[in-house]
């Protein structure tokens, strides 16, 4: 991937501009704490993870470069550490709805649900998330789990697994930045330590064609660039037949069930790519296209 250059909106900038207020005074802060707790991040983990909770309105104003943004949500800003535990300038953000807590009524409460739920530095290439709640030191033959968000990866790391968070199911690449595979993923010692990549996305892989395609594309890209074939373990739907993610799965069914699910990758077969993907890999081994 080409170098990204200076981050347009750095984590340091956000800390200086938005992070100097006590989050306990934010309207609806209890809902933000409840949101995190329901996703496996209790109150005592917030500081350990370096999370920053701020009003969404000023953050969106900063991103859009204009004032007058009316948004009652709370923004949970997630710093993205590197493998050594250092904090990078890149960040991601989850917006939590607090309209119920504020008692809002009328049209604004209807529009609220249509707004984006995730934010990241505008115009920048995505970066993978290495949870700081586990020391990154994989040994020979270890499994590396890829989740579709930082919060889900935090849950995997909390159980002692080498989990990496992506910025969505397509967060491992960027066509806009001519990046086929994020360098922090590409440069892991895949062959040196015989590491095994495992894709752990939400339970809607079979029902959502875009997610299913992302799994196939990611596996093909990893195999092409690193030489390591992926495994994929399908998350079962919840007891009501609805889709959910690994964080919900762990909180609802407990750590033992979550560990058993991740450990099922040990006996899972390598992901069988479609015939089209196999032909695509063969073509890539024979042909190169030089764009510049």
């Amino acid at each position: 991937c080409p170098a990204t250059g200076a981050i347009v909106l750095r984590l340091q900038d956000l800390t200086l501009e938005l992070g100097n207020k006590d989050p306990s005074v934010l309207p609806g802060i209890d809902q933000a704490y409840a949101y995190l707790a329901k996703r496996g991040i209790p109150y005592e983990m917030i500081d350990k993870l370096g999370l920053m909770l701020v009003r969404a309105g000023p953050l969106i104003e900063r991103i859009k470069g204009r004032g007058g943004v009316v948004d009652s949500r709370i923004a949970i800003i997630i710093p993205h550490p590197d493998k050594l535990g250092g904090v990078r300038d890149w960040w991601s953000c989850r917006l939590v709805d607090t309209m119920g807590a504020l008692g809002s009524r009328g049209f604004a409460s209807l529009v609220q649900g249509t707004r984006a739920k995730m934010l990241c530095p505008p115009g920048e290439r995505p970066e993978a998330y290495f949870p700081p709640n586990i020391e990154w030191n994989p040994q020979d033959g270890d499994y590396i789990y890829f989740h579709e968000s930082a919060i889900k990866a935090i849950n995997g790391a909390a159980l002692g697994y080498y989990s990496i968070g992506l910025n969505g199911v397509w967060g491992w690449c960027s066509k806009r930045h001519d990046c086929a595979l994020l360098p922090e993923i590409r440069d892991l010692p895949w062959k040196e330590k015989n590491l095994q990549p495992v894709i752990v996305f939400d339970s809607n892989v079979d029902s959502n064609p875009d997610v299913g395609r992302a799994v196939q594309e990611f596996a093909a890209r990893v195999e092409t660039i690193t030489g390591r074939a992926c495994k994929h373990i399908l998350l079962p739907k919840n007891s009501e037949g609805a889709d959910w993610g690994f964080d919900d799965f762990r909180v609802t069914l407990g750590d033992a069930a979550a560990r058993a699910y991740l450990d099922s990758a040990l006996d899972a077969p390598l992901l069988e790519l479609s015939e089209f993907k196999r032909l695509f890999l063969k073509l890539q081994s024979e042909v190169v296209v030089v764009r510049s």
Side-chain angles (χ1 to χ4, degrees), residues 75-97:
I76 302 172
I77 299 174
I78 306 172
H80 279 228
D82 57 28
K83 295 188 291 295
L84 300 178
V87 177
R88 296 174 292 183
D89 278 334
W90 210 86
W91 50 272
S92 61
C93 172
R94 182 62 164 86
L95 299 173
V96 178
D97 190 2

Side-chain angles (χ1 to χ4, degrees), residues 55-73 115:
R55 291 169 53 220
L59 174 62
I60 297 173
E61 288 180 350
R62 183 68 170 81
I63 289 175
K64 294 183 177 295
R66 61 177 176 81
V69 173
V70 179
D71 197 313
S72 65
R73 292 177 293 178
R115 298 174 179 178

Side-chain angles (χ1 to χ4, degrees), residues 25 36 39 82 101 107-108 126 132 143 153 159 162 174-175 192 202 226 251 270 282-283 291:
V25 302
L36 289 170
R39 282 152 185 84
D82 57 28
F107 181 72
Y143 278 46
L159 299 175
Y162 292 114
S174 175
K175 291 183 179 180
E192 297 89 333
D202 290 357
T226 72
V251 171
L270 295 176
K282 183 174 184 295
L283 180 66
R291 292 191 176 94

